[in-house]
Amino acid sequence: MTIKKNTGRLILLLYLLLSMLCTISIARATDHYEIVTHPGVSEKTITRSALRAIFGMRLHEWPDGTAIRIFVMPDDTPLHATFAKEALNVFPYQLRAAWDRLVFSGTGQAPNTVSSPQEMLAKVASTPGAIGYLTKSRMDGSVNVLHIK
């Protein structure tokens, strides 16, 4: 009798887990991120290597000489992980290690961390030379979209 109960519970648990995974996959597919910049940034496209140099804190100025100000979400947020893996081809812990090396060696600083998508939108929209990333559903036209070429 207990074997049937345990088997039934196991099947229910597996069904719930599969349902959750399908829901997460659908949500991620429909709400993709965009790389966004301050409206004053004239760039509309960027190479992946330049984007990696920016977020790796190695490229400090836009082509017109404006200082680049980088905004990121906390390391443990799904949006940050997706952006790091898809746009930069690195894991979030690799970015953090590079930023920590700069800070601890005194040769640079880490990017500015924002706590929410709303704060990301506000900071990028109001900071000259800013760059960050947002889900498409969070964008309101106050920032420019930067495409990877």
Side-chain angles (χ1 to χ4, degrees):
M1 186 72 164
T2 57
I3 293 175
K4 286 184 180 180
K5 280 185 179 178
N6 288 339
T7 304
R9 288 180 183 164
L10 182 60
I11 290 172
L12 179 62
L13 178 64
L14 288 173
Y15 175 76
L16 290 173
L17 286 173
L18 286 173
S19 298
M20 287 173 45
L21 287 174
C22 289
T23 303
I24 290 169
S25 296
I26 291 170
R28 280 192 70 201
T30 59
D31 199 20
H32 197 67
Y33 68 90
E34 294 283 359
I35 300 159
V36 294
T37 62
H38 181 269
V41 173
S42 61
E43 302 301 304
K44 301 298 178 211
T45 61
I46 192 167
T47 64
R48 189 171 308 277
S49 62
L51 189 66
R52 289 182 68 166
I54 289 171
F55 281 90
M57 309 305 285
R58 296 183 315 272
L59 186 59
H60 305 285
E61 293 181 349
W62 293 107
D64 67 0
T66 305
I68 299 174
R69 298 284 310 271
I70 303 160
F71 292 93
V72 296
M73 299 291 291
D75 293 351
D76 60 348
T77 59
L79 177 58
H80 179 74
T82 301
F83 168 75
K85 290 175 191 173
E86 291 180 4
L88 306 176
N89 294 329
V90 298
F91 289 102
Y93 75 87
Q94 291 171 304
L95 275 177
R96 175 59 51 197
W99 299 335
D100 288 347
R101 269 192 307 277
L102 291 171
V103 171
F104 297 139
S105 69
T107 59
Q109 60 184 18
N112 302 294
T113 302
V114 296
S115 60
S116 67
Q118 296 85 356
E119 186 181 2
M120 175 75 79
L121 179 63
K123 293 286 188 178
V124 171
S126 65
T127 307
I131 186 170
Y133 46 86
L134 286 168
T135 56
K136 287 182 180 181
S137 65
R138 298 289 184 176
M139 295 173 46
D140 65 0
S142 63
V143 291
N144 290 336
V145 175
L146 191 62
H147 299 283
I148 300 173
K149 60 177 175 178

